[in-house]
Amino acid sequence: MFNSQKTAELCNKEKYILFIQWCKENGALISDEVQYPSAFGAQGYTGVSAKMNIPANKVIIAIPNKLIISHHKVLKSELSDMFKTHKQFFDDQITADAEFNCLALYIFYHKLQGDKSFWYPYLNVVEQHTMFEWRNRDLFNLQDQSLIDEFMYIQSEMDKSWYKFKGLMNKYPQYFGSLTEEQKDMFYWSNEFVMTRCFGWTLPSTSLVPMADMLNHSNTNPATYHLINRSIEQNGQPNNRYTLKRERIDLKLLELDFKVDPKYSIRNSQEAYIQTNKQLLVHEFEGQTSRDKINQINYNVLQLWKEKQAWELDFESSSQSEDNDTDSEDEDKVDKLSQIRKKELKILQEKNMKLDQQYTQKCQDIITSLIPKNAQYKQTQTNIQIKGKRTFEEDLEKDQDSSESSDDSEKDFDWYNDDDDQVYFCITTAGQIQQGEQIYTFYGRRNNRFLLLWYGFTMNNNKYNSFNLRLWLNPEPMAMNDQIYSKIIVTDIVNTSHLKLGQINGVPINQLSREIKLKGSKLQEDLIIYVRLFLMAYYIGQDANSILLTIPISIDFEIQVFDFTLKLLSYLAQRFKSPYQEDLNLNQNNLTCEEYFALNYRLGQKELILLQINHIMEALKLLRMLKQQPKLNIKEYFMQQSNSVEKIRALRYYIKYL
């Protein structure tokens, strides 16, 4: 929420006045509709807001090429001899960190110069609020030891980076002087600066863009950005692969007045879908979100067309779009599960649900493809020394900036050069923005864990949020009691002498455990598959030989699976230091920024677990009803209940195979 009092205080600060003046003196164009600095929330965090209503598809900020700090430009800067001499640090053909290293040292070099640097007004206005500034008490408030351990690992890597580059920079006293430990905090600051402010996706190279990087992140109605060549737009004759924007975007800020084609006023496929399906609506949609509208349309489709099933419809789900904080393990897992399901469906077709010993062996072959051999696992487990900390991956994910230009096809910049004074980096509204609203951009499909680790903040109602749960594969047989849940959850980090390059005693940690990401509004299928696999060794029903991994076969076994999963999730929910309702009732106005983001993070984690618990309980109700009434019409069962849209949406892929 816009904080007018703190906004007025910010606007009177000299550093903001000088920064805006510096931007404009160097050719930046900032619409009169835009207010910077603006303050938001009780904490008064800084961002950009709308002074008045702003229509969609309009350029509101245009930063000239001169003010863009790109990797390509930095390579040609006064530090070029250092970059060329030490290619092991600065050549992107040798190291994936080359662009980051170049930009971070360039910023550090100019930070050392103080107000003598051309970039001083820009560097001086930025305040860092990442986890590096958090106190131990703030970290404890996260109530997530695995996240704290991961941050401590990042911090230790930053320390290593300082000593590595300090030695290198001391070879160039003409640029950096004689560095001591006193400059360590400034080095940290420079790394954080690049880490939190870069644009990368759909640009010629990773870049820092003053003023454009003052917009905060949101998944809801974010502005987008484009590189726009004013001369080409004026002439209307694109060179090479440049895509004209003048029919899609209002370019008046660049003194270009062309009529925008009305067809671009429908800003995305969701709204287009709603427009196309208006005749299906039986309720007015005033005040509803796009997701609510689409879900309601699909509910009406199910009512009108009896032959339609829930899994055939595209419900808009908070977890429908995966976050892009994934690695090859996640992609391989999805692909492997898809292959297993195809094999299991083929098995069912071949034997019409009557699995003899030959087909049971096929199922076992499928299972062994998922897990390591027992002997290898047992040997590794024997050698592991548990140290009482929690597990994280040693090879942390690299930050791949995913801010999206609206023209994904324009990725070949053969029309661009670093010295072209006709090129502007333009922030463009995607949807209408109301007076007083914050103007956001989009950093990518990031969960709150990633946002906190790499940017220092979290988001309310983050549709890409997830709860990371790592479970041991193929654990030793154990008594089925309350202690079993702690024994299958990977809660301890092994001795660092055993954990090297993501391996434990030479065995990749991904072969010993499986990471499962609990998402918001759908039943987490891979968690159910894991529990099926785990409980196969305990199930003694008459249909035990018929059990499959990806397809529910036995109602009795499925009830056991969902009951076990419910208890596992309840165990996770009880591990937090403070109850969910207590956190929900806290007065957020009295919190510091660190306390607020820690609260927001742990609330999000608890909510994801509670949502999964709700989905599991609904599935259990259905399974018990099916046990009593084997011929139950599942679609009619849900349509007669309250909140049927939410329930169908969450379970639609599970009930497809029931």
Side-chain angles (χ1 to χ4, degrees):
M1 183 178 293
F2 183 74
N3 188 323
S4 56
Q5 179 182 346
K6 293 197 174 184
T7 295
E9 294 173 5
L10 291 177
C11 289
N12 288 325
K13 288 189 176 182
E14 184 179 10
K15 67 177 183 178
Y16 291 107
I17 296 171
L18 291 176
F19 172 64
I20 295 296
Q21 180 181 337
W22 173 82
C23 286
K24 292 182 177 180
E25 286 177 353
N26 286 283
L29 305 172
I30 303 172
S31 170
D32 292 337
E33 301 158 307
V34 171
Q35 170 64 53
Y36 176 81
S38 295
F40 300 92
Q43 290 74 27
Y45 65 89
T46 309
V48 180
S49 69
K51 286 184 181 178
M52 58 194 78
N53 294 347
I54 306 176
N57 304 318
K58 183 175 184 179
V59 173
I60 55 174
I61 297 171
I63 305 302
N65 213 355
K66 174 184 177 180
L67 291 183
I68 298 174
I69 306 174
S70 71
H71 174 236
H72 290 164
K73 290 182 182 179
V74 167
L75 287 176
K76 297 180 287 186
S77 71
E78 53 267 60
L79 302 180
S80 61
D81 57 333
M82 182 179 71
F83 296 147
K84 291 176 182 176
T85 303
H86 303 279
K87 292 185 177 181
Q88 69 272 30
F89 301 126
F90 307 114
D91 189 331
D92 56 13
Q93 299 299 312
I94 298 175
T95 173
D97 295 330
E99 292 191 356
F100 180 89
N101 292 340
C102 289
L103 288 167
L105 262 63
Y106 182 79
I107 293 299
F108 180 66
Y109 164 67
H110 278 277
K111 187 70 173 174
L112 284 170
Q113 294 183 35
D115 58 8
K116 296 179 182 179
S117 169
F118 169 76
W119 302 106
Y120 173 75
Y122 173 41
L123 303 182
N124 186 51
V125 81
V126 172
E127 297 177 356
Q128 301 291 14
H129 296 289
T130 66
M131 287 180 68
F132 289 99
E133 282 69 52
W134 285 33
R135 300 163 297 176
N136 288 338
R137 185 180 69 185
D138 299 322
L139 295 173
F140 180 78
N141 285 336
L142 292 167
Q143 299 182 15
D144 185 343
Q145 188 60 45
S146 67
L147 176 59
I148 296 172
D149 286 335
E150 191 167 345
F151 166 69
M152 298 303 291
Y153 173 82
I154 294 171
Q155 193 171 46
S156 69
E157 290 298 296
M158 187 78 83
D159 282 336
K160 293 177 186 176
S161 181
W162 159 246
Y163 290 110
K164 176 175 66 178
F165 284 110
K166 176 187 171 187
L168 173 64
M169 290 185 289
N170 276 334
K171 296 179 180 179
Y172 295 87
Q174 67 272 33
Y175 303 135
F176 302 101
S178 180
L179 297 177
T180 66
E181 288 298 300
E182 293 180 3
Q183 284 82 42
K184 183 177 180 179
D185 286 345
M186 190 181 294
F187 178 82
Y188 266 55
W189 184 94
S190 301
N191 277 264
E192 292 173 68
F193 188 95
V194 175
M195 184 171 71
T196 59
R197 312 193 78 78
C198 274
F199 294 88
W201 196 250
T202 68
L203 289 180
S205 67
T206 303
S207 303
L208 293 161
V209 188
M211 186 59 202
D213 59 4
M214 302 304 170
L215 277 69
N216 294 315
H217 164 76
S218 177
N219 301 323
T220 305
N221 194 27
T224 186
Y225 66 82
H226 308 265
L227 278 183
I228 293 179
N229 188 302
R230 188 181 181 282
S231 178
I232 296 176
E233 295 289 346
Q234 177 74 60
N235 297 331
Q237 297 178 349
N239 296 336
N240 300 321
R241 301 192 184 187
Y242 182 86
T243 302
L244 285 174
K245 317 293 190 304
R246 64 187 196 178
E247 291 186 355
R248 297 185 290 147
I249 299 171
D250 183 341
L251 302 176
K252 291 187 181 67
L253 189 64
L254 295 169
E255 298 182 350
L256 298 173
D257 193 359
F258 296 98
K259 186 176 181 180
V260 176
D261 192 322
K263 70 182 179 182
Y264 294 109
S265 62
I266 296 180
R267 55 181 295 259
N268 57 42
S269 59
Q270 295 174 6
E271 291 297 333
Y273 181 83
I274 291 168
Q275 295 292 331
T276 304
N277 291 278
K278 275 184 176 178
Q279 68 273 18
L280 297 175
L281 309 184
V282 294
H283 299 288
E284 291 296 325
F285 285 153
E286 195 68 35
Q288 288 186 305
T289 64
S290 293
R291 190 175 80 190
D292 293 332
K293 296 173 186 177
I294 293 171
N295 290 341
Q296 187 63 53
I297 289 171
N298 281 308
Y299 177 76
N300 294 328
V301 169
L302 290 175
Q303 281 190 320
L304 291 170
W305 296 333
K306 300 301 181 184
E307 69 277 11
K308 279 285 184 182
Q309 298 296 338
W311 54 85
E312 298 176 303
L313 302 176
D314 293 325
F315 284 85
E316 171 67 6
S317 166
S318 64
S319 56
Q320 187 164 295
S321 298
E322 180 58 82
D323 59 73
N324 56 1
D325 309 321
T326 55
D327 54 23
S328 58
E329 178 192 357
D330 299 284
E331 295 166 1
D332 292 344
K333 177 179 64 178
V334 171
D335 184 56
K336 182 169 286 187
L337 290 179
S338 176
Q339 293 174 15
I340 291 172
R341 173 162 282 154
K342 288 179 181 178
K343 290 180 181 179
E344 292 187 333
L345 285 171
K346 187 176 180 181
I347 289 173
L348 294 180
Q349 291 169 356
E350 288 177 356
K351 291 301 290 182
N352 192 26
M353 301 289 290
K354 296 178 181 178
L355 302 178
D356 57 16
Q357 188 173 2
Q358 175 185 356
Y359 288 91
T360 302
Q361 183 58 48
K362 286 187 179 181
C363 294
Q364 293 302 318
D365 292 342
I366 292 170
I367 292 170
T368 55
S369 72
L370 262 187
I371 59 178
K373 294 180 180 179
N374 283 343
Q376 182 188 42
Y377 181 85
K378 289 177 182 177
Q379 182 180 3
T380 304
Q381 286 286 83
T382 302
N383 294 330
I384 290 176
Q385 297 180 18
I386 301 300
K387 289 296 180 182
K389 295 183 180 179
R390 298 178 188 260
T391 294
F392 61 86
E393 303 293 348
E394 181 158 293
D395 49 341
L396 296 168
E397 298 167 5
K398 301 296 181 184
D399 180 12
Q400 299 176 352
D401 184 277
S402 299
S403 304
E404 296 177 354
S405 164
S406 63
D407 187 359
D408 290 336
S409 64
E410 192 172 76
K411 294 180 181 177
D412 190 333
F413 291 89
D414 53 2
W415 56 270
Y416 173 84
N417 72 73
D418 292 327
D419 301 318
D420 190 342
D421 62 4
Q422 292 296 303
V423 172
Y424 289 81
F425 181 101
C426 295
I427 296 292
T428 306
T429 58
Q432 187 180 36
I433 301 173
Q434 302 297 318
Q435 180 180 0
E437 283 186 358
Q438 185 167 183
I439 304 172
Y440 295 101
T441 189
F442 183 59
Y443 298 0
R445 300 188 301 272
R446 304 301 192 186
N447 61 27
N448 277 349
R449 185 186 186 94
F450 189 98
L451 290 173
L452 195 56
L453 277 171
W454 299 106
Y455 294 97
F457 69 91
T458 57
M459 284 180 57
N460 288 318
N461 304 315
N462 183 357
K463 71 176 181 178
Y464 301 114
N465 204 14
S466 59
F467 178 93
N468 291 19
L469 172 64
R470 186 167 281 280
L471 302 169
W472 288 115
L473 285 173
N474 200 25
E476 294 291 327
M478 60 190 81
M480 189 66 71
N481 53 37
D482 291 342
Q483 283 73 48
I484 197 170
Y485 309 110
S486 63
K487 293 179 180 178
I488 64 172
I489 298 173
V490 179
T491 57
D492 301 299
I493 184 170
V494 297
N495 187 306
T496 52
S497 65
H498 293 93
L499 180 59
K500 294 180 180 179
L501 300 176
Q503 296 185 340
I504 303 174
N505 295 336
V507 181
I509 193 171
N510 293 342
Q511 289 186 15
L512 301 174
S513 62
R514 176 71 68 208
E515 184 178 60
I516 294 171
K517 291 188 175 184
L518 303 183
K519 303 289 289 182
S521 59
K522 67 177 180 181
L523 179 70
Q524 208 62 40
E525 183 182 23
D526 48 352
L527 177 59
I528 300 303
I529 290 172
Y530 173 89
V531 175
R532 282 197 194 110
L533 177 61
F534 177 74
L535 291 182
M536 280 180 178
Y538 297 86
Y539 184 59
I540 56 175
Q542 293 182 351
D543 50 6
N545 288 336
S546 302
I547 301 302
L548 299 177
L549 273 181
T550 67
I551 302 171
I553 296 295
S554 164
I555 292 294
D556 289 334
F557 183 63
E558 288 298 293
I559 289 174
Q560 285 191 23
V561 166
F562 278 82
D563 185 64
F564 183 92
T565 307
L566 179 61
K567 292 175 181 176
L568 173 64
L569 292 171
S570 299
Y571 169 80
L572 285 172
Q574 293 167 7
R575 291 168 61 190
F576 289 97
K577 297 290 190 296
S578 60
Y580 173 72
Q581 197 60 45
E582 179 182 310
D583 283 347
L584 207 58
N585 294 335
L586 279 176
N587 183 355
Q588 298 183 6
N589 292 331
N590 298 328
L591 302 179
T592 65
C593 283
E594 292 81 7
E595 290 170 338
Y596 172 77
F597 289 136
L599 171 65
N600 197 26
Y601 173 79
R602 66 179 188 260
L603 273 173
Q605 296 293 281
K606 295 171 186 179
E607 286 166 359
L608 288 166
I609 295 173
L610 292 175
L611 280 169
Q612 284 298 313
I613 287 176
N614 286 338
H615 304 333
I616 295 295
M617 291 176 68
E618 287 300 328
L620 269 173
K621 287 180 186 177
L622 172 61
L623 289 167
R624 286 169 178 150
M625 186 66 72
L626 282 170
K627 185 173 175 63
Q628 296 174 4
Q629 304 176 36
K631 296 184 179 181
L632 177 72
N633 185 309
I634 296 176
K635 177 180 172 180
E636 291 182 4
Y637 166 80
F638 279 113
M639 297 293 283
Q640 294 170 2
Q641 297 186 37
S642 60
N643 300 323
S644 57
V645 174
E646 295 296 319
K647 294 174 183 178
I648 291 173
R649 184 181 68 182
L651 300 178
R652 66 188 184 279
Y653 295 122
Y654 178 71
I655 62 179
K656 176 179 180 179
Y657 295 101
L658 270 179

